[in-house]
């Protein structure tokens, strides 16, 4: 094969491989992993239990074998260890992230990536006629999947953040845009001396009561609905914004940070948890660079370099004091520390 032919094969296989998560999306939508949780079964048995077309389900399961989630022994299909993660009620379940991945919200927006690149605006708005968060607040079923996707690894992130002395040493921690509260609840559970304030929109907080109560920290955690474009709760000595700033344009990001700065006591600290884009293109990794486009397409947001964060913080009256990569499993994210300038 000459080089041109090899490159054509490479590009074609890249295109076909990119359909693999859609195979998993269909499996999850049909509830097949949960049915297989009871033990291996044939396509006919699974079709009967899931109300699907047996021959087509057999083809879906064959394709799923190539994703490493399904195995076959004779005519009976079963889940591999990876496939167990597609079930609903297992620790670390990837069911909701896959449902969000394959949703019309994501797929139709990504289909208009070129529109985003033409205009610099979220393709989501072009397709759905409003911003993502407004859309989610009007579609509780979608918002639940989105919130649970965001919360999917909050337990392990909480564990990583709980081990950071500056965070563990704070008396009252605000989680701004903290969603259903899994991270704050985890940090408070690890540090009985700490109080917390969970701040998000009314609909973003759906599920927060249950999460915070289940962690046994409800008495130490205020749950405050609001809009960070209007104000942010005061009276905390530490402010955490995890994967919030990357949802917004520079102007909006500065407004959010300025509202934090205005309410923060002079000696309080502010922490961002975000992916930091390397300056050197040789260090670009696919996940970070695709996530950057995901932010453009869905919310007119962006992933940023250290210098970008420094500029945003300065514009909001804050000063960047440190950037340190977080330990696994949050290893693509860094803790960006700031204080009042
Ligand atoms: C990408 S999610 C991150 C959630 C959480 N920090 C995490 O990392 O799991 C962004 C959060 O910002 C919240 N949000 C969006 N617009 C907001 C607003 N105007 N005021 C307060 N929160 C908002 C969303 O509801 C959502 O929970």
């Amino acid at each position: 094969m000459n080089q041109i032919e090899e490159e054509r094969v490479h590009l074609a296989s890249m295109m076909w491989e990119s359909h693999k998560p859609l195979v998993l999306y269909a499996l999850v939508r049909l509830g097949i992993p949960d049915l297989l949780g009871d033990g291996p079964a044939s396509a006919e048995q699974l079709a009967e239990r899931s109300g699907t077309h047996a021959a087509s389900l057999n083809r879906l399961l064959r394709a799923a074998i190539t994703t490493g989630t399904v195995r076959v022994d004779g005519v009976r299909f079963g889940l591999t260890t990876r496939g167990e993660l597609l079930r609903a009620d297992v620790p670390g379940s990837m069911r909701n992230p896959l449902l969000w991945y394959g949703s019309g919200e994501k797929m139709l927006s990504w289909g208009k990536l070129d529109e985003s690149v033409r205009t610099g605006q979220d393709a989501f708005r072009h397709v759905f006629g409003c911003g993502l968060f407004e859309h989610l607040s009007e579609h509780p079923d979608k918002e639940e999947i989105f919130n649970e996707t965001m919360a999917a690894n909050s337990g392990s992130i909480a564990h990583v953040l709980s081990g950071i002395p500056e965070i563990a040493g704070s008396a009252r921690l605000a989680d701004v845009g903290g969603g259903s509260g899994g991270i704050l609840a985890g940090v408070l559970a690890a540090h009985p001396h700490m109080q917390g304030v969970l701040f998000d929109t009314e609909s973003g907080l759906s599920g927060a009561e249950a999460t915070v109560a289940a962690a046994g920290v409800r008495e130490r955690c205020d749950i405050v609905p609001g809009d960070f474009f209007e104000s942010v709760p005061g009276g905390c000595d530490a402010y955490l914004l995890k994967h919030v700033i990357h949802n917004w344009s520079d102007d909006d990001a500065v407004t959010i940070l300025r509202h934090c700065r205005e309410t923060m006591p002079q000696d309080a600290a502010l922490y961002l948890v975000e992916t930091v884009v390397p300056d050197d293109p040789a260090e670009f990794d696919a996940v970070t660079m695709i996530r950057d486009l995901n932010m453009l397409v869905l919310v007119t947001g962006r992933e940023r370099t250290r210098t970008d964060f420094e500029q945003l913080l300065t514009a909001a009256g804050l000063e960047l004091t440190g950037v340190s990569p977080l330990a696994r499993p949050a290893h693509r994210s860094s803790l960006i520390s700031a204080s009042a300038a």
Side-chain angles (χ1 to χ4, degrees):
M1 231 185 329
N2 66 28
Q3 198 193 339
I4 295 295
E5 205 44 44
E6 267 178 33
E7 297 297 355
R8 289 191 74 250
V9 170
H10 181 83
L11 285 171
S13 104
M14 198 163 85
M15 284 188 254
W16 288 116
E17 294 266 334
S18 74
H19 292 63
K20 281 181 172 177
L22 293 174
V23 169
L24 303 184
Y25 172 71
L27 273 186
V28 164
R29 289 265 298 176
L30 296 169
I32 304 299
D34 288 320
L35 292 176
L36 284 175
D38 298 335
S42 69
E44 285 72 22
Q45 291 168 327
L46 291 167
E48 204 178 309
R49 292 181 211 156
S50 60
T52 53
H53 181 247
S56 302
L57 181 58
N58 190 53
R59 292 162 67 185
L60 181 68
L61 287 161
R62 282 188 326 188
I65 292 172
T66 72
T67 67
T69 56
V70 169
R71 56 186 165 72
V72 66
D73 187 3
V75 295
R76 283 151 63 85
F77 294 93
L79 293 176
T80 63
T81 305
R82 184 182 300 172
E84 290 285 339
L85 292 171
L86 306 182
R87 293 171 58 194
D89 293 323
V90 293
S93 171
M94 290 295 283
R95 180 177 180 274
N96 284 311
L98 276 163
L99 287 175
W100 177 240
Y101 169 86
S103 66
E105 280 75 5
K106 278 208 62 163
M107 287 294 141
L108 296 174
S109 304
W110 266 90
K112 293 283 178 192
L113 171 59
D114 56 329
E115 184 66 24
S116 278
V117 173
R118 234 173 255 125
T119 61
Q121 299 298 314
D122 46 341
F124 186 95
R125 193 176 298 270
H126 180 80
V127 177
F128 290 92
C130 66
L132 172 68
F133 292 114
E134 189 184 341
H135 174 85
L136 291 177
S137 70
E138 286 161 7
H139 296 83
D141 52 329
K142 300 290 173 148
E143 180 151 68
E144 192 180 337
I145 291 171
F146 177 84
N147 286 349
E148 287 179 6
T149 298
M150 294 305 113
N153 57 359
S154 44
S156 41
I157 300 271
H159 179 73
V160 171
L161 293 177
S162 297
I164 296 173
E166 295 88 324
I167 290 183
S170 54
R172 192 168 166 83
L173 173 68
D175 191 352
V176 176
S180 46
I183 293 171
L184 184 60
V187 174
L188 295 183
H191 297 291
H193 71 278
M194 282 176 74
Q195 306 264 338
V197 178
L198 180 64
F199 180 71
D200 206 294
T201 59
E202 188 90 51
S203 65
L205 287 170
S206 64
E209 280 287 348
T211 307
V212 172
V217 298
R218 183 64 187 93
E219 281 169 17
R220 289 188 282 130
C221 185
D222 292 335
I223 299 177
V224 181
D227 177 356
F228 47 46
F229 289 108
E230 286 174 12
S231 65
V232 169
C236 297
D237 60 341
Y239 286 77
L240 173 69
L241 295 92
K242 176 184 163 278
H243 291 162
V244 168
I245 291 303
H246 76 165
N247 289 155
W248 303 98
S249 67
D250 285 357
D251 286 349
D252 286 342
V254 170
T255 302
I256 299 166
L257 292 170
R258 192 177 296 123
H259 287 156
C260 292
R261 172 65 193 95
E262 281 164 4
T263 197
M264 277 165 64
Q266 184 64 21
D267 57 354
L270 179 136
Y271 302 102
L272 308 178
V273 173
E274 295 283 356
T275 301
V276 177
V277 176
D279 288 317
D280 180 358
E283 291 174 26
F284 288 172
D285 71 285
V287 175
T288 301
M289 305 326 286
I290 299 286
R291 274 190 186 166
D292 176 48
L293 291 178
N294 195 43
M295 289 301 117
L296 170 62
V297 155
L298 291 182
V299 286
T300 320
R302 60 182 306 169
E303 304 296 354
R304 295 178 167 90
T305 63
R306 180 190 168 113
T307 309
D308 293 333
F309 283 113
E310 213 155 13
Q311 286 170 352
L312 288 186
L313 289 163
T314 303
L318 292 151
E319 184 183 4
L320 186 147
T321 53
V323 176
S324 42
L326 290 178
R328 288 180 80 89
H331 64 287
R332 281 202 175 81
S333 293
S334 292
L335 185 76
I336 300 161
S337 312
S339 58

